[in-house]
Amino acid sequence: MRDGGEVVLLGSGAADGWPNPFCECASCLAAAGSGRVRGQTSALVDGRLLLDCGPETPRSAVRAGRSLAGVRHLLLTHSHPDHLGPAALLFRHWAGRRDPLDVVGPADVVAQCRPWAAPDDPVRFIEVAAGDEAVLGEPDGARYRVRVLAADHAVWIAGDAVLYDVAREGAVGRILWATDTGPLPDPTVRAVAGARFDAVFLDETFGDRTDLDGGHLNLATFPRVLAELRQRGAVVEGTQVVAVHLSHHNPPPDELDRRLRPWGVRAGEDGMVVPVPGVERREDVVGHRRTLVLGGARSGKSTLAEEALADSADVTYLATGGAGRDDPEWLERVAAHRERRPGTWRTVETTDVAGLLRSATGPVLLDCLGTWLTARIDLHSAWEGGPLERVEADIDELVAAWRACPAPVVAVSNEVGSGVVPATASGRLFRDLLGRLNARIAAASDEVLLVVAGLPVRLR
């Protein structure tokens, strides 16, 4: 890619787009009402290289104010009809374009394209499979290096869908075009290790649906793939990550934006321009450094907190509740929490969290402030009117460590005091101390969320 080049998303939706024109679900109605209409996913790189070309792509380019006259390389991932509209070759012929064009794709893609090119059209067809490399030349001497990667997706048989790693030889700028795919195959993960992409366009089709067949990512598998790419050095600080191939299986657009934001990800939009090489990340794109998640019992606050760090493989989970080995119900809760956390996360059961916050080298999830406070009151025997100075000193130390934590950190806490006044002195003591602790942590946080009946409300 040329210095100052760009990737223009001509489309960012799934095969049926978003909203689906035949659907009246809440997601489609919200998308239509907001005017955020997404067509079939494709992208124009630097005005020269087109990634996927479904039947909507040529008209989408016009709507985005981009010409396809300069396209010299057409990279097609597979032959599903939203990615392959071979009639575009005929439209190009009708326009009298005599410039050379490379059409690159798996064998069945190339076979479907051949009949649409006239015998004298200067079109070169290049069949590729995962593991291949191709060098595509430009009239000005520049060359694109394309590595073909395996996808977890198939049209008819395994291997007939691919992904692309595209870089300009001798220049900065490298992108990963990773749609359509489910969790990346091991050979692909190994192939992109250390790539340090400037931009990654990653499938996120299925949203909150976990009951649909594979071949695409959802909001549970997407962050795990992202975590693996970060762990392997493919996604680094400054890599722009864009979710594409979006469908109405996702929550409404504004809610999807909120879900993606903690992972440093943007939802693709038709016409979105992504500068390559990567520009400085904006504060509204990257994840917040300190996040407090409040909520009542069983409100979904812990699940939301875990989701906020789901794109990181090296999270330290500070479990402040203790093992509770004499309480079967508590053990069941602990087991449920452990089951849903990624296996790469490290769990530390402790109430001495200030030092761990100050020395953190990776993301931290603290769950929760209520059980931490209970343990500190226990430690200092302060329940029945004893001196509170030591508990208050512990709170001061925790707040200071929260402010000083050098890594992204998320804390969970109970929102108390909205109901009946506790009947006991110890209950009132806990309510008052936790209320003050929550307020101080919130004041030192970049983002504060309140979870009510599983729905997050942004307070800051």
Side-chain angles (χ1 to χ4, degrees), residues 237-260:
E237 185 64 32
T239 299
Q240 301 169 90
V241 181
V242 181
V244 294
H245 210 264
L246 303 169
S247 80
H248 68 158
H249 297 310
N250 279 286
D254 288 348
E255 171 67 8
L256 179 62
D257 291 340
R258 185 199 65 75
R259 300 273 293 274
L260 294 175

Side-chain angles (χ1 to χ4, degrees), residues 292-294 369-370 373 395-396 398-399 402-403 411-416 430-449 459-460:
L292 173 62
V293 181
L294 299 165
L369 294 179
L373 179 61
I395 291 174
D396 291 342
L398 177 63
V399 173
W402 176 261
R403 292 178 181 276
V412 177
S413 190
N414 302 95
E415 180 58 29
V416 296
F430 178 77
R431 176 201 62 185
D432 294 347
L433 286 176
L434 186 59
R436 291 199 291 269
L437 173 59
N438 286 345
R440 293 183 63 184
I441 292 292
S445 297
D446 302 297
E447 183 178 37
V448 182
L449 299 170
L459 303 181
R460 168 179 292 173

Side-chain angles (χ1 to χ4, degrees), residues 101-192:
L101 175 70
D102 295 322
V103 176
V104 181
D108 69 317
V109 169
V110 170
Q112 292 187 51
C113 288
R114 287 186 187 276
W116 291 90
D120 59 343
D121 280 345
V123 177
R124 179 174 65 148
F125 293 100
I126 305 173
E127 293 185 9
V128 296
D132 291 347
E133 290 196 20
V135 177
L136 308 177
E138 289 280 314
D140 61 5
R143 302 199 303 176
Y144 288 96
R145 179 181 57 75
V146 178
R147 294 199 304 164
V148 187
L149 307 170
D152 177 19
H153 194 81
V155 181
W156 304 110
I157 59 173
D160 64 0
V162 298
L163 313 175
Y164 291 111
D165 168 0
V166 181
R168 182 75 174 271
E169 285 197 342
V172 292
R174 186 174 181 181
I175 69 170
L176 175 62
W177 186 250
T179 188
D180 296 356
T181 187
L184 297 179
D186 289 341
T188 296
V189 174
R190 291 194 297 269
V192 300

Side-chain angles (χ1 to χ4, degrees), residues 305-377:
E306 291 164 11
E307 183 180 275
L309 294 175
D311 64 321
S312 300
D314 58 340
V315 173
T316 297
Y317 186 99
L318 300 183
T320 61
R325 301 185 189 281
D326 297 330
D327 185 341
E329 181 185 357
W330 183 257
L331 283 174
E332 185 178 340
R333 289 195 186 196
V334 169
H337 276 240
R338 284 178 174 166
E339 178 66 25
R340 69 178 183 232
R341 295 197 295 265
T344 58
W345 287 17
R346 179 174 70 106
T347 299
V348 179
E349 294 184 352
T350 183
T351 59
D352 187 15
V353 300
L356 291 171
L357 290 177
R358 291 182 185 277
S359 62
T361 57
V364 176
L365 175 53
L366 169 56
D367 193 355
C368 74
L369 294 179
T371 51
W372 174 85
L373 179 61
T374 298
R376 303 319 285 180
I377 298 173

Side-chain angles (χ1 to χ4, degrees), residues 381-399:
S381 303
W383 286 112
E384 301 300 335
L388 295 177
E389 289 81 1
R390 291 184 180 179
V391 177
E392 290 169 346
D394 288 345
I395 291 174
D396 291 342
E397 183 183 13
L398 177 63
V399 173

